[in-house]
Amino acid sequence: MKPEYKPLKELNDKTQKYKTKVKVIHKSTPQQSPNKTRYQRLLLKDDEGFTMKGALFDTDIEKYAEALERNGEYELSNATITAVPPQYASKPNEYSMIINARIEINPLSINPIVLGPHYQSIATVPRDPFNTELVDILGVLLYVSRTKPIPRPHGGEDLVREMFLIDHSYDRPFTVSLWNELLGRIIPCCGNPCSDRKDIQR
């Protein structure tokens, strides 16, 4: 008999006993928060195309290092579901799955890790200001600002310019700030570095 899986969109912090089938589409490198808590992020996707963030903490990072692989499909049961704090949420009423001793993991298929960029939608990029995780984003470049000088508190100045990107997942542009030596690395569609003499719009 085929298992009855609960879709991710129906899971919340009141959900108790359940099974869901997901694919791990992103697995970050472990990091450390300002309060010294170690954590690792996951992004899970079900057969209906819905996504949910996942998280591991401290010793559970090593404990489940090989239990959940990127591109692998799994049956997950009874993991704790918690509400994402509003300041870190990508959408209203967002929830996260905590990977700890409560979870039951049944591998369904493990696909080889594909080397190269693994593009994330803008909506899934963490809003945590202390996050240092590197991500690949594929979007449309709307606008590149002129270079602006930013005074330093103790003298001198930094140079900054902003790029505005958008993709299918987010209803407003995503801002990327480029500072100092990174300014010359903006390469628009024409193939030439951006000049301060003319803003680029795409």
Side-chain angles (χ1 to χ4, degrees):
M1 182 176 176
K2 187 177 180 180
E4 184 175 344
Y5 295 122
K6 204 171 187 68
L8 292 177
K9 66 179 180 180
E10 295 182 10
L11 300 181
N12 57 53
D13 52 359
K14 295 180 175 59
T15 307
Q16 295 297 322
K17 295 183 179 180
Y18 67 90
K19 286 185 179 180
T20 188
K21 177 186 174 185
V22 300
K23 182 175 183 178
V24 180
I25 61 175
H26 178 68
K27 185 176 182 179
S28 75
T29 55
Q31 299 186 60
Q32 185 167 285
S33 68
N35 65 2
K36 307 302 182 184
T37 299
R38 293 177 63 242
Y39 66 93
Q40 184 176 32
R41 288 190 175 93
L42 302 175
L43 187 63
L44 311 172
K45 185 176 182 180
D46 65 16
D47 289 340
E48 296 184 9
F50 291 94
T51 60
M52 176 178 283
K53 296 174 182 176
L56 301 94
F57 297 95
D58 297 320
T59 57
D60 287 329
I61 296 174
E62 284 73 32
K63 182 177 179 180
Y64 295 99
E66 298 180 2
L68 293 169
E69 296 285 355
R70 183 179 141 197
N71 291 329
E73 291 186 334
Y74 302 89
E75 177 185 273
L76 305 181
S77 305
N78 305 327
T80 301
I81 308 295
T82 63
V84 177
Q87 65 269 32
Y88 302 136
S90 303
K91 55 188 176 183
N93 301 317
E94 187 174 21
Y95 296 94
S96 177
M97 184 180 294
I98 307 302
I99 311 300
N100 54 27
R102 181 177 172 179
I103 195 172
E104 297 175 23
I105 302 173
N106 179 31
L108 299 177
S109 67
I110 306 295
N111 298 320
I113 294 178
V114 179
L115 299 179
H118 174 63
Y119 295 112
Q120 285 186 238
S121 62
I122 290 174
T124 65
V125 176
R127 295 186 179 184
D128 183 353
F130 299 102
N131 177 59
T132 57
E133 177 188 346
L134 298 178
V135 298
D136 297 308
I137 298 174
L138 181 63
V140 177
L141 177 61
L142 299 177
Y143 178 77
V144 179
S145 73
R146 295 183 182 276
T147 300
K148 297 181 293 186
I150 305 295
R152 295 174 181 169
H154 304 292
E157 63 182 22
D158 292 303
L159 298 177
V160 64
R161 67 193 311 178
E162 295 178 329
M163 299 192 307
F164 299 89
L165 307 172
I166 198 167
D167 68 5
H168 67 283
S169 69
Y170 216 50
D171 58 0
R172 59 183 182 273
F174 182 82
T175 305
V176 178
S177 298
L178 300 170
W179 294 77
N180 298 324
E181 68 274 7
L182 296 179
L183 297 179
R185 298 190 183 184
I186 309 174
I187 307 297
C189 297
C190 65
N192 299 314
C194 292
S195 168
D196 284 335
R197 295 174 296 179
K198 185 178 179 181
D199 288 346
I200 304 300
Q201 297 189 42
R202 291 286 182 265

